[in-house]
Each structure stands twice: as C-alpha cells, then as structure tokens.
Amino acid sequence: MPRLQTGTTAPVRQFTDVTGAPAAPPGPEGLLHLQFRRFAGCPICNLHLRSFARRQAELAAAGVREAVVFHSPADELRPYADSLPFPLVADPDRQLYRAFGVERGARALLDPRVWPTVLRALARSVPLALRGKERPPAARPLGGRLGLPADFLIGPDGRLLAVHYGEHAADHWSVETVLGFAAGHDAPVRVAAGRETAGGETAGA
C-alpha cells in the first residue's frame, strides 16, 4: 500500500465512532491526531492509550483532538469506549487502513525493539483481566495480531501536517511528540519511521 506524505490532503476526514456518533474533523484552529492501532484489547494498545487518556486535558488545551482506529468490529470495541475520553473507530474491513496506507507484518511482534513494551503491557493487562477489571482480547482477533501502528496529524484544512508509520507494534508517537507538533503546526513536519515508541522512548535505544 502506498504511504501518505506530509503536505497532502487526508483521504478521509469524516469518521463514526463505535457508539454511532460522528467523530467530527477539527475546527478552524484545531488539529486531529488520528491513531491507527491494532485489535480490541491489545495490551500494547491499552498501555499506549492510557498514557493519552491521562493527559487528555493537556492535549485539549493544545487544540488536539484524538480519534483511534482499530481493525476490530464495533461490538468488540464498545466495552472499552466508556473508559477512554476519545472516539474509537471500528474498521473491520480495513478500508481506512488501506486509504491511509497502514500495513501489517510479522515485524510487528518479531522486532526485538517491541519486546520490552510487550512485557510491560502484559504485566499491566494480565492481572487486570484475571481480576475481571479489564476485558481480555478475543482469542482470534479479526485481522490478526500483526497489525502495525500509524499516526497522522491532520490540520483544520485536512492537510497532513505530520505522518508516522510504525516499524513494530509499539512504534508510535508519545503524548510529548504530539504536543510538540501542536506547538508548531504551521508547517508540515517530516517524521522518520521507527523513531517513537511507548512512553516517548527511542526505538532501538
């Protein structure tokens, strides 16, 4: 699938969340951080999204709205929607993934840089699932477990201000990265793949 470039127009700007409500595009001064994650209940995704949930007030103050796409059906995502302060978008047919050039591959989990995050994510999610405080993922998630993440910062006019395609399952923008882009969003920002991981760590460090 061809990857999108900064400065081009986002191929899709209207989204509907798992409750059926529109996840509207940003207003005249706002930005939309569109995240492509993996499957409902993915421990890596949960760890990552909790970091964004904790700092939602900072993101809103910076004019950034969040929307998160999963390749799971809506009924599998709905149990998670109430605990997150931003829209979750179900894309089981992967139409949005194809439109934005988001890939999948074995390197999602085989890249050694992801392994420390996998251990941290499992250490968080497994005890919660055993206590019934968090729903575990489906045994065979739709679309499989080899999805790769991607991040897009979309300006008020629909232009892609920054683009990042993950090299492994934990290679995604941190909150600090998004806030940094928001502070200087007038010009497109070019982001090399394989840079950001969970918690703002540098991949390969």
Side-chain angles (χ1 to χ4, degrees), residues 8 15 30 33 58 67-68 72 112 120 130 132 141 144 148 173 175 179:
T8 59
F15 308 93
H33 173 210
E58 291 177 68
V68 187
S72 294
R120 289 198 303 273
L130 291 175
L148 289 160
W173 287 343
V175 176
L179 290 174

Side-chain angles (χ1 to χ4, degrees), residues 53-191:
R54 287 193 297 269
R55 301 181 66 181
Q56 179 63 21
E58 291 177 68
L59 291 161
V64 179
R65 293 176 50 258
E66 297 285 332
V68 187
V69 183
F70 287 82
H71 56 70
S72 294
D75 60 350
E76 292 185 9
L77 282 174
R78 286 192 191 99
Y80 302 93
D82 290 341
S83 63
L84 292 170
F86 32 74
L88 305 183
V89 179
D91 185 28
D93 297 327
R94 300 185 67 93
Q95 294 180 357
L96 293 173
Y97 285 79
R98 288 192 294 273
F100 281 84
V102 182
E103 304 169 337
R104 51 186 166 181
R107 68 182 186 277
L109 296 177
L110 295 182
D111 190 316
R113 292 173 294 180
V114 76
W115 298 344
T117 304
V118 170
L119 294 176
R120 289 198 303 273
L122 291 175
R124 174 197 171 276
S125 292
V126 170
L128 292 174
L130 291 175
R131 296 200 302 268
K133 295 183 178 295
E134 188 168 280
R135 183 173 177 172
R140 295 184 178 180
L142 184 67
R145 299 177 181 273
L146 299 181
L148 289 160
D151 296 89
F152 302 88
L153 189 67
I154 303 175
D157 59 356
R159 188 170 55 125
L160 296 175
L161 300 177
V163 172
H164 177 79
Y165 291 94
E167 292 297 314
H168 54 76
D171 181 17
H172 37 231
W173 287 343
S174 66
V175 176
E176 293 296 342
T177 297
V178 176
L179 290 174
F181 290 160
H185 71 81
D186 290 337
V189 182
R190 297 196 177 277
V191 185

